[in-house]
Amino acid sequence: MDIMVIFRQPEDPYMLGRIAMPDYDSAACFVMQHLPASAQSSAIIEDQTGRRSWQPQIRMHYELLTARRFRRSGN
């Protein structure tokens, strides 16, 4: 399923950026790891059905992903 990340461009906050991602996990990681805080706060993840997630849901999903990876690594 294609997922779209929509965010404000850091260099021009009046312009929107759009990046397609293969899944929700990849999209959440992209938002939290590669966007500056100003762009994170306005980021939206949208799936093919039109369902959207905003920053609080994205952050919670990312934190769950990192906790799972930490547990799997044996720590």
Side-chain angles (χ1 to χ4, degrees):
M1 175 183 345
D2 284 339
I3 303 291
M4 187 67 63
V5 178
I6 305 165
F7 59 95
R8 285 189 184 150
Q9 294 284 353
E11 55 279 348
D12 185 356
Y14 296 103
M15 296 293 294
L16 293 178
R18 293 176 177 265
I19 296 180
M21 294 283 167
D23 56 41
Y24 194 90
D25 293 350
S26 300
C29 288
F30 173 79
V31 169
M32 299 308 297
Q33 294 175 353
H34 299 288
L35 293 179
S38 61
Q40 285 178 13
S41 65
S42 64
I44 297 170
I45 296 176
E46 182 178 66
D47 66 17
Q48 287 179 328
T49 64
R51 194 184 115 221
R52 291 181 170 192
S53 297
W54 285 268
Q55 208 276 340
Q57 294 96 351
I58 297 168
R59 180 176 295 284
M60 284 192 316
H61 188 80
Y62 177 74
E63 288 173 357
L64 287 171
L65 280 175
T66 54
R68 278 190 219 133
R69 288 182 185 150
F70 184 74
R71 274 187 261 139
R72 286 183 188 156
S73 70
N75 293 321

